[in-house]
Amino acid sequence: MKSSHASDSSAQGTTGSTKRHIVSKLQKASSYAAHLVNLLQEKDKSGASTESILEARAYQQSLQGAINFEKRSWERCLQSYSETRLLYTALAHSVGIKQDDVFKDLLDSTVDPSIRYAAYQLKLARTISIETIVARYVQRADNIYVAEVMKSNQELMQGLGAATKKNPNGKSIVVPKTITWRSRTINIEDATTAQAIASVSAAKAKLASFLAANRDADRRAKAAAFDGVLIPSQDAVDAVKTAIDELTAEGVAQGDPRMQSLQITRTAVNWNLVEWRVGRNRVLCGDKDGATFQNEPVKKPKKPRADGKARVEQGESTGRKLTRLKERVVLYDSTLQSLDSVMEFPGVAADQAFVSELEAKKAYFSSLRCLAIARSHTLHGNKRNALALLARAADLSSRSVSSSRTADSTPEDIPKLVIEPAQAKSLNELLERSVLQFRALVELEDLNSAAGKEKTVRPAPMIERMNEYPPEGVDLTNLVTYPPKLQPVPVKPIFLDPAWNYIDYPGRPKKGTAAAADGKVGEAMPKTESKKEAKKGWFGFGRS
């Protein structure tokens, strides 16, 4: 309802037949609710309890407040809604947790926004809390319902005008009026924001007491306890954003002191939310933010073996270790993403000292991320990749050590974003030892691979491969075979030249000329045929 009126550009809001129809319906519902209250008051006939009568009265007053809201009668609207809020708050304290959530949702969604909008129309200061407005505008005279609440719950009425708030446990919460960011204290301009910050403080105290009482609890149980702080922290962020949007819709300039105060408050509450998120991730990572990695105990099966033999205890599997390391890397990525978002907050980029501290924190968590990935490579047997990641992690951790906070800073009971110098130094020493260890392992691996290559079959000596060009250079240790070994060699080689009779070689007469000369000599001289003795043996070689 508040948002619909605020977004309406006209001065009178909803007008005409639509408004008359809404008011008519609300008046009819209010008359029915008032008749119901009158019937319930006759307890001897209706048998209704006091809580039922108060709830019916609260509903009837909420309808009456809606009627005055539509009629733009802001003072009467505040009077009706103030009584409604008082009755619903009293009922929330007297009923169970389940119905308490119902009343809380009703107040947050309808009653509180209407009270705040009506107070805005009456020019009331934003710093006035809703409890103070209720205490000022609730009608106490001749009101039997308010008198019944005052009689049964006096503490509720006494705390309406004070700057306190009740938590779910019934304890008083002091609503802060100022907030501090980087040694700068400013006033909280919005009452809703102040109440949300007070809820964060109460949740923080509850978390601290839980962690102190359960130091040996499981890390998942500790991380689940952080949800009680993360939820009100997010509510505080939303409350500040809503206040800024309302001022922007009213046309307030960015240079206005109210807007400047809200911007600083926005940075402070957003940083607080980031701290709680990172603290939860650090708890989930384990001891020393995940710098140590130990085997987790394996659950033994309850049922014995079918053959009756004792079960052999097995360690944690490699797949389970890799899964744990992957979960840590996801947590480190979430932490680094949260730290990167801090640079978008108003006024952070201009604060060089804060930016340097932020870079040191990012270097610390980046080194832990590289360490987790290096361990996963080690499980796969990739020592060279693990060495490169460890060297990178050692470089990052050295930056975090040089830029860490001084040792006189008091450590916090709840892990958030404070990194102690001793913790950063311990991580740096661990990484330096790991780099030396893996450098030696990689060197041994290289030596073993070189020795394995030497044991392979050596090529033939260079003297037997003179027709081959050595691309890798001449191996001077493999020129000849020394000492020489007994080897077979070919003897009496056979030379075949089938083309001897068909090729003209230099210095040999041609075949035709030789034949002509032989003819002429034959005519002058008698032919004498001499029968040559035939040669015996293979290939024309004679035998003696």
Side-chain angles (χ1 to χ4, degrees):
M1 186 179 296
K2 174 187 175 183
S3 59
S4 64
H5 278 266
S7 59
D8 195 353
S9 58
S10 62
Q12 298 297 329
T14 305
T15 58
S17 60
T18 303
K19 183 175 182 178
R20 289 193 299 271
H21 178 73
I22 292 174
V23 173
S24 175
K25 291 291 185 180
L26 289 174
Q27 287 177 345
K28 185 179 295 186
S30 178
S31 63
Y32 290 156
H35 183 61
L36 175 62
V37 172
N38 294 330
L39 291 177
L40 292 177
Q41 283 181 347
E42 300 178 1
K43 294 185 178 181
D44 53 347
K45 296 181 180 180
S46 63
S49 61
T50 304
E51 287 78 8
S52 300
I53 298 175
L54 293 178
E55 186 174 357
R57 173 66 178 180
Y59 178 68
Q60 187 266 332
Q61 284 297 308
S62 65
L63 293 175
Q64 190 64 36
I67 294 172
N68 294 323
F69 195 103
E70 293 297 332
K71 291 182 177 180
R72 306 180 72 83
S73 179
W74 304 118
E75 187 170 357
R76 292 182 179 180
C77 177
L78 278 181
Q79 293 174 358
S80 299
Y81 274 123
S82 296
E83 183 177 348
T84 301
R85 194 181 194 282
L86 175 64
L87 296 178
Y88 277 140
T89 305
L91 290 172
H93 283 282
S94 60
V95 298
I97 299 177
K98 295 183 179 180
Q99 294 184 4
D100 185 10
D101 295 337
V102 175
F103 290 131
K104 182 179 179 181
D105 293 339
L106 184 60
L107 293 176
D108 293 341
S109 60
T110 305
V111 179
D112 288 353
S114 301
I115 293 176
R116 183 60 64 186
Y117 187 79
Y120 165 72
Q121 293 294 335
L122 291 176
K123 308 299 181 182
L124 297 179
R126 292 179 179 272
T127 56
I128 301 176
S129 64
I130 294 181
E131 286 79 5
T132 305
I133 296 174
V134 171
R136 182 183 302 177
Y137 283 91
V138 68
Q139 297 296 316
R140 296 181 176 88
D142 300 331
N143 195 328
I144 59 175
Y145 309 101
V146 176
E148 181 67 26
V149 172
M150 293 177 63
K151 181 175 64 175
S152 59
N153 197 342
Q154 296 181 359
E155 294 182 358
L156 179 64
M157 294 299 299
Q158 292 175 0
L160 283 177
T164 59
K165 183 183 178 182
K166 297 288 185 179
N167 62 3
N169 297 330
K171 297 181 180 179
S172 298
I173 304 174
V174 178
V175 178
K177 296 181 179 180
T178 59
I179 190 171
T180 303
W181 166 250
R182 301 288 295 175
S183 69
R184 182 177 180 180
T185 303
I186 59 173
N187 296 324
I188 301 178
E189 299 292 340
D190 186 65
T192 306
T193 303
Q195 294 176 1
I197 295 174
S199 300
V200 174
S201 301
K204 177 182 177 181
K206 183 178 179 181
L207 175 62
S209 61
F210 174 82
L211 295 178
N214 301 273
R215 295 185 180 275
D216 298 333
D218 184 61
R219 54 188 175 89
R220 294 180 178 84
K222 293 181 179 179
F226 276 76
D227 294 339
V229 185
L230 289 171
I231 294 174
S233 298
Q234 184 64 51
D235 293 341
V237 173
D238 296 339
V240 177
K241 184 177 182 301
T242 302
I244 293 176
D245 293 341
E246 290 177 355
L247 288 181
T248 304
E250 295 173 11
V252 178
Q254 293 294 328
D256 189 91
R258 293 176 296 170
M259 184 67 76
Q260 291 294 322
S261 298
L262 284 174
Q263 293 290 356
I264 297 175
T265 305
R266 180 186 179 186
T267 301
V269 296
N270 274 283
W271 172 252
N272 192 24
L273 178 61
V274 169
E275 283 188 319
W276 290 119
R277 287 176 178 172
V278 173
R280 181 178 180 274
N281 292 342
R282 294 177 71 179
V283 170
L284 285 174
C285 288
D287 189 24
K288 297 182 180 179
D289 299 332
T292 59
F293 187 74
Q294 299 176 354
N295 294 335
E296 288 187 349
V298 181
K299 294 182 179 180
K300 297 181 180 179
K302 297 181 180 180
K303 295 182 179 180
R305 294 180 55 173
D307 53 4
K309 296 182 180 179
R311 294 184 181 272
V312 180
E313 295 184 2
Q314 298 180 354
E316 189 179 8
S317 62
T318 304
R320 176 58 184 163
K321 293 179 181 178
L322 290 173
T323 302
R324 289 169 53 202
L325 290 172
K326 184 178 180 180
E327 292 175 355
R328 289 190 180 182
V329 172
V330 171
L331 293 173
Y332 294 140
D333 288 337
S334 176
T335 299
L336 293 173
Q337 185 178 2
S338 299
L339 293 177
D340 289 336
S341 65
V342 176
M343 295 299 299
E344 301 175 1
F345 299 162
V348 170
D351 193 345
Q352 295 298 327
F354 180 72
V355 170
S356 61
E357 291 181 9
L358 193 63
E359 292 296 331
K361 298 179 190 300
K362 291 170 61 176
Y364 175 78
F365 289 105
S366 297
S367 63
L368 287 171
R369 180 179 182 274
C370 291
L371 176 59
I373 300 176
R375 283 170 173 162
S376 64
H377 280 280
T378 304
L379 294 175
H380 283 296
N382 300 327
K383 296 183 179 63
R384 195 177 300 274
N385 294 346
L387 175 60
L389 288 165
L390 288 172
R392 173 62 176 168
D395 181 40
L396 291 171
S397 65
S398 62
R399 300 180 192 175
S400 64
V401 170
S402 60
S403 302
S404 60
R405 297 177 59 179
T406 57
D408 57 355
S409 59
T410 57
E412 295 184 349
D413 297 334
I414 305 176
K416 291 170 67 176
L417 253 176
V418 176
I419 301 173
E420 298 301 321
Q423 192 172 3
K425 185 177 180 181
S426 175
L427 175 62
N428 188 30
E429 292 176 353
L430 172 64
L431 291 172
E432 289 180 351
R433 291 195 303 267
S434 300
V435 168
L436 294 176
Q437 177 186 2
F438 275 81
R439 187 173 294 168
L441 291 174
V442 171
E443 186 67 22
L444 289 175
E445 193 177 60
D446 293 342
L447 292 176
N448 292 333
S449 61
K453 290 181 181 179
E454 292 180 357
K455 293 180 180 179
T456 57
V457 180
R458 299 183 65 184
M462 189 64 191
I463 194 172
E464 299 178 9
R465 296 182 291 110
M466 296 298 293
N467 59 334
E468 298 179 5
Y469 177 78
E472 298 179 356
V474 179
D475 186 5
L476 300 179
T477 62
N478 193 24
L479 295 178
V480 295
T481 302
Y482 185 84
K485 299 179 180 179
L486 183 62
Q487 296 179 353
V489 296
V491 296
K492 294 183 179 180
I494 301 175
F495 297 96
L496 299 178
D497 195 356
W500 171 265
N501 297 326
Y502 302 97
I503 299 176
D504 294 334
Y505 291 95
R508 180 185 176 189
K510 296 184 179 180
K511 188 175 182 180
T513 306
D518 292 343
K520 292 180 180 181
V521 173
E523 292 177 359
M525 298 178 63
K527 296 181 179 179
T528 59
E529 294 181 0
S530 60
K531 189 176 180 180
K532 296 183 179 180
E533 183 181 358
K535 296 181 180 180
K536 299 179 180 180
W538 289 355
F539 304 103
F541 292 101
R543 297 182 179 178
S544 57

